[in-house]
């Protein structure tokens, strides 16, 4: 858990200045920032307004996926639309039923916006703003059409008066239900706990505008603090992603594989690492930024056997799998014996798209909870990577053919 929190800290620290959190906390909007490159696409920042709206604490939200706010009545179709937008690295605006910590549902207008690296077009973060939908919940409380220009408090009293005059003549379940709602201590001001979750709520233009302004303010803060570090971000993709940059959908699939491994691209000069799992970072002590774009040889050191390196080189050139025992070095210069398995990964057309290297610290060779020995775990990892690459190799932006 401590290692995961360290990665979450790096998610913002590696891109923006150290004052970015303070600047984001000054904004009054309800929003989260997530990192699609990390396992589970976790929340890496949450605003104070969002915590107040949902009833959660910061510790309960950071590191979790946004699905934690969904519940039994959340529309599955809406969830799928959000997932598709993330997969395609696009923004989306949608009405969504979420749940507070205490289990009460509430409707929000949800706007999701991607944040790109200005230099290479890579997706960096997603910003998700949630604006509570008030007006439609008020509109249906009395069962009458809204009276334009009449304050909610006056309309509330008028509805209550009308109900009291009708009670003597009409008795029904619906009237009793309305009576319960209208006899509360205060009008339905800022409380939306009485929302009829069976009826979808539509955001009004004012709520949509609030979301757009919030997105603009947040992106302005992120842009400014990325300029301080020189690692610029932008709202729209300013350049075509370089060859070797993995799309979000492939990243998401690979993030589900809980094993130490890297993916290298043989179609690029010096075969750089284009993906590194969280477990690999934990094993070696490096950050993702320090690993991506480098050849795996940086793990070798003065006592690494050159004949082992030559065997690896031969297997890469012949596009064949191999398993070696090699002495590698962590970032802190400590050494460890690595039972390394390397295998080619082909796309749907049969061309080698990547090589996967699965690491296994010799001091940690034991069966896992499923009874798999180290060798089986490595082969299982290779199989999972191959499925992920092949299933997405025909997707636009992911094809290597």
């Amino acid at each position: 858990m401590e290692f995961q929190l360290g990665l979450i800290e790096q998610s913002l620290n590696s891109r923006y200045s150290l004052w970015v959190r303070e600047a984001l906390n000054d904004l009054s909007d309800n929003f989260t920032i997530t990192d699609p490159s990390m396992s589970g696409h976790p929340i890496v920042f949450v605003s104070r307004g969002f915590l107040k709206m949902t009833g959660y604490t910061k510790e309960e939200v950071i590191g979790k996926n946004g699905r934690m706010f969904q519940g039994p009545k959340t529309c599955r179709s809406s969830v799928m639309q959000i997932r598709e937008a993330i997969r395609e690295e696009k923004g989306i605006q949608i009405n969504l039923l979420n749940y507070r910590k205490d289990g009460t549902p509430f409707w929000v207008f949800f706007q999701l916006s991607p944040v790109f690296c200005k230099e290479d077009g890579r997706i960096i973060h997603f910003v998700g703003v949630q604006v509570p939908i008030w007006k439609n919940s008020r509109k249906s409380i009395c069962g009458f059409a809204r009276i334009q220009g009449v304050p909610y408090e006056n309309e509330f009293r008028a509805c209550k008066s009308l109900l009291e005059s009708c009670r003597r003549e009409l008795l029904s379940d619906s009237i009793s239900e309305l009576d319960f709602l209208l006899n509360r201590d205060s009008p339905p001001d800022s409380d939306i706990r009485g929302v009829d979750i069976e009826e979808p709520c539509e955001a009004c233009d004012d709520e949509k505008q609030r979301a757009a302004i919030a997105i603009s303010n947040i992106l302005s803060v992120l842009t400014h603090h990325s300029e301080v570090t020189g690692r610029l971000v932008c709202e729209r993709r300013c350049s075509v992603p370089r060859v070797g940059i993995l799309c979000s959908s492939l990243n998401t699939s690979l993030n589900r594989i809980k094993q130490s491994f890297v993916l290298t691209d043989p179609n690029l000069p010096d075969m750089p690492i284009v993906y590194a799992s969280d477990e690999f970072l934990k094993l070696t002590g490096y950050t993702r930024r320090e690993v991506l774009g480098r050849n795996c040889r940086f793990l070798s050191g003065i006592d690494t056997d050159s004949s082992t390196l030559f065997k690896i080189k031969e297997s890469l050139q012949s596009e064949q799998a191999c398993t070696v025992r090699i002495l590698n070095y962590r970032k802190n210069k400590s050494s460890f014996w690595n039972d390394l398995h390397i295998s080619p990964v082909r796309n749907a057309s049969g061309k080698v798209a990547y090589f996967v290297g699965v690491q296994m610290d010799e001091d940690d060779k034991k069966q896992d909870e499923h009874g798999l020995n180290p060798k089986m775990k490595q082969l299982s990892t290779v199989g999972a990577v191959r499925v992920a690459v092949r299933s997405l190799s025909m997707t636009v932006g992911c094809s290597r053919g």
Side-chain angles (χ1 to χ4, degrees), residues 62-82:
I62 294 295
K64 304 296 195 305
N65 186 279
R67 73 175 69 94
M68 69 178 287
F69 308 110
Q70 298 162 13
K73 297 291 186 177
T74 303
C75 177
R76 296 302 98 187
S77 175
S78 298
V79 174
M80 292 306 297
Q81 289 182 58
I82 295 172

Side-chain angles (χ1 to χ4, degrees), residues 14 24 28 33 44 54 69 82 109 127 158 161 165 218 222 232 261 264 285 298 318 335-336 357 367 395:
S14 64
L24 291 171
S28 60
I33 299 176
V44 297
T54 61
F69 308 110
I82 295 172
F109 178 70
V127 175
S161 175
S165 65
I218 298 163
L222 295 179
L232 303 182
F261 73 98
T264 63
F298 75 92
S318 62
S335 61
F336 66 99
Q367 288 189 345
T395 304

